[in-house]
Amino acid sequence: MKGTTKLKKALAAAMMAAALGVWAEEGEAATRMKIDWNATFNERLSDSDKMTLENGGVVLRSVSSMKKLCVKKDAGMVSKLVVEPMSEKVKSGYIAEIINFRPYKGNEDLIERINEAMSDFLSYTDIQFFSERHQRYFPLYNYAEVTGTKVEGNKTTISEILEMSMFGRFHSEITVENNGDHFLYKLKNTDKLKFKGLITVIKPEGMCSVVAVFRTGENWMIYAVGGANIVRIPIVNMRAEPAFTSRVKAFADFVFKKIDKTGTLKESTVDKSDASDE
């Protein structure tokens, strides 16, 4: 009798566990976004990256040239707003692309949120990146100062002095455009960047990034590319290459954390399958 009762309880528990498992899978599937991969992406976007994106995660791909981006040559807004402007500045070097999708429903104010987050230029000094070389965190920028602001319609141009530990202080220009239906952010250095103040390793406009936010189907797409044409000097490469991806990741996670409503957004997933082997 007791054995029968235990067996019934075990079967009931197993059935309940199975039911909960099914419900969990259905719930997870329900939260996944429907994304038309063929319209924008090529074969370089992995299945694991697709799964991350479908579930609202952030993918950061480290690549060695603009030819290794995971978007097609003619990818509509992605090409027009990001790839084409970046290709004029950076062909190869240290390049990272950042991808994220969010449902439009419930995020109707996304452009306003990201505009506010990325326009808080002085807060950039709060960003910390992890150094693989030193195994600890460092400030992304040691110093930030806005030296000028120019507003023309929906476009704001900011002149700013930034300081990075490896390159010292340098002048930069940031433009922010809030066009209502899409958002655009561009950053470029306007000075030479010198390693330890001695060796010029990046020419003016050789380090830049473009971030775009626009609607595609039922979702928002956030797509960005950042790149740096760094002169190939062994002592510089040894320190700059691993730090570049960490810096881009830190900036991306900083922005996404600011615009996340749920408070549950995980750190970006890094894909180095198309990174430089040098």
Side-chain angles (χ1 to χ4, degrees):
M1 220 29 208
K2 288 183 180 179
T4 304
T5 302
K6 286 183 178 180
L7 181 60
K8 287 181 178 180
K9 287 183 177 180
L11 287 172
M15 291 175 66
M16 180 62 74
L20 288 172
V22 170
W23 293 338
E25 288 177 4
E26 289 178 347
E28 184 181 347
T31 60
R32 287 182 184 174
M33 285 172 282
K34 295 180 180 179
I35 301 170
D36 185 357
W37 303 114
N38 293 328
T40 303
F41 300 97
N42 57 36
E43 70 283 354
R44 292 187 181 277
L45 187 66
S46 68
D47 289 339
S48 60
D49 287 344
K50 290 178 182 178
M51 185 174 293
T52 297
L53 295 171
E54 284 178 342
N55 287 291
V58 180
V59 169
L60 187 156
R61 298 185 71 253
S62 178
V63 302
S64 57
S65 74
M66 291 293 290
K67 293 180 180 179
K68 292 187 177 182
L69 297 179
C70 67
V71 296
K72 293 181 176 179
K73 290 183 178 179
D74 184 13
M77 293 284 277
V78 171
S79 299
K80 180 182 178 181
L81 298 177
V82 183
V83 179
E84 291 173 9
M86 277 297 299
S87 296
E88 295 175 0
K89 305 292 183 183
V90 179
K91 300 295 182 184
S92 62
Y94 306 140
I95 300 170
E97 62 179 336
I98 301 166
I99 315 161
N100 177 243
F101 287 89
R102 290 162 188 253
Y104 178 79
K105 187 176 180 180
N107 290 291
E108 292 85 355
D109 63 339
L110 180 61
I111 285 182
E112 286 70 27
R113 298 205 314 271
I114 200 165
N115 184 25
E116 181 180 350
M118 300 194 74
S119 296
D120 187 7
F121 309 113
L122 297 181
S123 70
Y124 290 3
T125 56
D126 297 333
I127 306 172
Q128 300 281 314
F129 78 96
F130 185 75
S131 169
E132 294 288 347
R133 185 167 180 263
H134 296 282
Q135 289 295 298
R136 67 186 183 91
Y137 286 89
F138 289 93
L140 179 63
Y141 296 109
N142 301 82
Y143 176 84
E145 176 189 352
V146 175
T147 59
T149 303
K150 182 180 180 182
V151 179
E152 295 177 309
N154 57 4
K155 179 180 177 181
T156 301
T157 303
I158 304 294
S159 298
E160 188 170 18
I161 296 174
L162 297 171
E163 179 181 314
M164 298 171 70
S165 56
M166 198 179 301
F167 304 120
R169 294 189 181 185
F170 59 93
H171 288 84
S172 63
E173 181 180 281
I174 300 171
T175 59
V176 179
E177 295 182 45
N178 184 347
N179 296 287
D181 61 340
H182 71 272
F183 168 87
L184 193 61
Y185 169 102
K186 296 180 181 179
L187 181 149
K188 63 182 179 182
N189 64 303
T190 55
D191 282 342
K192 295 179 181 179
L193 270 65
K194 296 185 176 183
F195 179 70
K196 297 298 183 182
L198 300 172
I199 309 170
T200 298
V201 291
I202 301 179
K203 296 178 180 180
E205 300 189 18
M207 183 175 70
C208 48
S209 58
V210 180
V211 182
V213 183
F214 53 92
R215 190 174 177 184
T216 172
E218 298 178 357
N219 306 315
W220 286 111
M221 180 176 181
I222 303 175
Y223 183 77
V225 175
N229 279 328
I230 299 180
V231 175
R232 294 285 177 176
I233 301 173
I235 190 173
V236 177
N237 290 1
M238 182 177 67
R239 298 187 60 182
E241 187 161 11
F244 178 76
T245 301
S246 295
R247 287 175 179 271
V248 174
K249 180 183 182 334
F251 185 78
D253 289 341
F254 172 79
V255 172
F256 284 116
K257 185 177 179 180
K258 274 196 165 188
I259 65 175
D260 184 43
K261 283 184 173 182
T262 65
T264 59
L265 185 69
K266 297 179 181 179
E267 290 187 358
S268 52
T269 300
V270 179
D271 180 348
K272 292 187 177 182
S273 57
D274 282 316
S276 173
D277 292 328
E278 297 177 18

